[in-house]
Amino acid sequence: MLDKNTKIYVAGHRGLVGSAIWNNLLQRGYTHLVGRTHQELDLTDQQAVRAFFDEERPQAVVLAAAFVGGIMANSLYRADFIMQNMLMQCNVIGESYRHGVEKLLFLGSTCIYPKNAPQPMKEDALLTSPLEYTNEEYAIAKIAGLKMCESYNLQYGTNYIAVMPTNLYGPNDNFHLENSHVMPAMIRKVYLARLIHEGQWDAIRRDLTLRPVEGIGGEADKEDILRVLGKYGISDNRVELWGTGTPLREFLWSEDMADASVHVLLNVNFSDIIGIEKYSSVHYGQAVDGQVDRNHSEGRGGAIPSLGEIRNCHINVGTGKELTIRQLSELVAKAVGFEGDIVFDSTKPDGTPRKLIDVSKLHSLGWTHSVEIDEGVSRLYQWYVQNM
């Protein structure tokens, strides 16, 4: 358990999960928190990250920052998805080790698993067959991140834990149509289609002023607004969604994810995951010219042949429950009060057909979710309209 005075750096503290983790820590009495916006600190800049760690010297790190998006964004920005995420992970994990960080929590994604992995997906399904092509670069970056944590633990006796959340949604979600995930995009599309039908142009203009679409904001002509929204399948009482509507998805409320993350950060060690009470003894010395002196005893994880192969030490985080995209659209329509048509364009990609995770490891570590999907969809819609 980390002391309440522990200095914790939350990378990505303004994002969907990072902001929820920040608030969860505050609610638990952890007030010595450090955060930087992207404008204040570019995590892809190695020198800037090193200078930040030199100055702040956090004792624990939550790496929730990432370059993220849905199928469209993953298809358009393949190079960005692998390079941006790899740079951020290498810089933060590398500097955490260099500065003697006691505990690090790395957040990945369940897209790390093969496209046709057996369902529900256990942690040991990793690297057993090809990935889903549409998010391959992001998945590879996240696999590299969890392997960095695992490898640092085995070579240096660090205590870096990787958690792999399922599809997340909640307050501070990304509702920009060009690069948002399925649920927030669906909620916004259905909401705008209802507003168009009802002629609520003041509300439509407020929406586009806050979140312009392809440079079209609330001040634009009606014709331009309708044209750009039409490109994203939004029209009078009609919404068009990508795919067939048949893929199965699991969704986790972001504040539940934050609670799971903080639970792991405070209560779970690498030794708990691999089932060895004392796999390593690490003595952190004082930093000298930025370098931390570490003296390892016998017992350093990967250096002991008798331990065999240690892998798949990450933890799935989810609900263990799923529904189809079509069923999700019905929940969204109900929450928004939409009585129009939702149609699916089967010429567009579906992505992975099914993506349910096995959460038995998480449950064995003492945590289960609390927000069910129908309640969560309603709460996210209410948050959206209240933050216009």
Side-chain angles (χ1 to χ4, degrees), residues 145-157:
L146 74 87
K147 285 296 183 181
M148 275 188 257
C149 293
E150 192 176 276
S151 300
Y152 269 85
N153 292 342
L154 294 174
Q155 183 172 348
Y156 297 116

Side-chain angles (χ1 to χ4, degrees), residues 195-229:
L195 294 182
I196 293 171
H197 180 66
E198 295 174 353
Q200 296 194 43
W201 278 94
D202 286 344
I204 293 170
R205 292 186 184 282
R206 281 198 303 273
D207 184 282
L208 289 173
T209 297
L210 185 61
R211 300 177 181 88
V213 179
E214 294 187 6
I216 301 297
E219 77 290 345
D221 294 336
K222 285 186 180 181
E223 292 75 14
D224 289 335
I225 290 175
L226 291 173
R227 175 186 55 78
V228 75
L229 293 183

Side-chain angles (χ1 to χ4, degrees), residues 78-97:
R78 297 182 75 88
D80 289 342
F81 270 91
I82 192 164
M83 182 62 76
Q84 299 274 350
N85 285 296
M86 288 290 290
L87 285 171
M88 286 190 276
Q89 294 163 190
C90 288
N91 291 338
V92 173
I93 294 173
E95 292 306 318
S96 293
Y97 172 69

Side-chain angles (χ1 to χ4, degrees), residues 52-362:
F52 165 77
F53 273 81
D54 285 344
E55 176 186 355
E56 293 292 346
R57 300 197 174 276
Q59 297 160 285
V61 169
V62 176
L63 181 43
F67 185 78
V68 299
I71 293 176
M72 181 184 294
N74 273 271
S75 299
L76 292 174
Y77 310 116
R78 297 182 75 88
D80 289 342
F81 270 91
I82 192 164
M83 182 62 76
Q84 299 274 350
N85 285 296
M86 288 290 290
L87 285 171
M88 286 190 276
Q89 294 163 190
C90 288
N91 291 338
V92 173
I93 294 173
E95 292 306 318
S96 293
Y97 172 69
R98 187 171 179 269
H99 289 81
V101 164
E102 299 169 22
K103 190 78 173 284
L104 181 143
L105 184 73
F106 171 75
L107 276 68
S109 166
T110 52
C111 72
I112 62 170
Y113 294 115
K115 178 176 182 175
N116 297 313
Q119 306 283 323
M121 298 179 290
K122 294 180 178 290
E123 286 84 356
D124 60 10
L126 183 66
L127 297 176
T128 55
S129 61
L131 298 164
E132 159 61 38
Y133 180 75
T134 56
N135 61 16
E136 191 174 43
E137 281 69 23
Y138 183 72
I140 289 171
K142 289 301 178 181
I143 291 170
L146 74 87
K147 285 296 183 181
M148 275 188 257
C149 293
E150 192 176 276
S151 300
Y152 269 85
N153 292 342
L154 294 174
Q155 183 172 348
Y156 297 116
T158 51
N159 199 11
Y160 301 167
I161 312 297
V163 291
M164 300 295 126
T166 189
N167 300 292
L168 300 173
Y169 69 105
N172 296 308
D173 216 330
N174 173 15
F175 289 85
H176 289 275
L177 296 180
E178 294 99 320
N179 60 4
S180 62
H181 282 128
V182 59
M183 190 187 298
M186 191 183 292
I187 286 176
R188 189 180 183 193
K189 286 180 178 183
V190 171
Y191 174 63
L192 287 170
R194 195 201 82 193
L195 294 182
I196 293 171
H197 180 66
E198 295 174 353
Q200 296 194 43
W201 278 94
D202 286 344
I204 293 170
R205 292 186 184 282
R206 281 198 303 273
D207 184 282
L208 289 173
T209 297
L210 185 61
R211 300 177 181 88
V213 179
E214 294 187 6
I216 301 297
E219 77 290 345
D221 294 336
K222 285 186 180 181
E223 292 75 14
D224 289 335
I225 290 175
L226 291 173
R227 175 186 55 78
V228 75
L229 293 183
K231 287 180 63 177
Y232 292 88
I234 305 165
S235 57
D236 184 347
N237 227 25
R238 186 179 189 276
V239 173
E240 187 175 280
L241 302 175
W242 278 26
T244 63
T246 59
L248 289 156
R249 290 291 180 270
E250 174 183 12
F251 294 93
L252 179 66
W253 183 245
S254 61
E255 291 172 335
D256 270 355
M257 174 58 194
D259 194 63
S261 298
V262 175
H263 174 81
V264 171
L265 179 70
L266 301 181
N267 301 296
V268 179
N269 295 312
F270 185 63
S271 56
D272 300 321
I273 296 170
I274 63 176
I276 299 172
E277 289 187 9
K278 191 174 182 181
Y279 80 101
S280 173
S281 177
V282 183
H283 307 285
Y284 290 102
Q286 297 298 313
V288 179
D289 294 330
Q291 298 295 327
V292 177
D293 176 43
R294 290 178 172 83
N295 298 308
H296 299 87
S297 72
E298 74 286 349
R300 191 178 69 189
I304 304 180
S306 62
L307 295 183
E309 294 183 353
I310 295 176
R311 60 180 64 191
N312 302 327
C313 302
H314 55 286
I315 305 167
N316 287 339
V317 182
T319 64
K321 302 178 181 181
E322 62 187 346
L323 77 167
T324 66
I325 295 298
R326 187 178 295 276
Q327 288 172 322
L328 174 64
S329 72
E330 293 166 357
L331 288 179
V332 168
K334 181 180 178 181
V336 175
F338 179 74
E339 297 180 350
D341 298 322
I342 297 178
V343 298
F344 287 86
D345 182 357
S346 60
T347 66
K348 297 293 195 301
D350 269 331
T352 307
R354 192 183 184 203
K355 215 174 81 165
L356 180 66
I357 56 172
D358 185 301
V359 290
S360 55
K361 181 188 287 189
L362 178 67

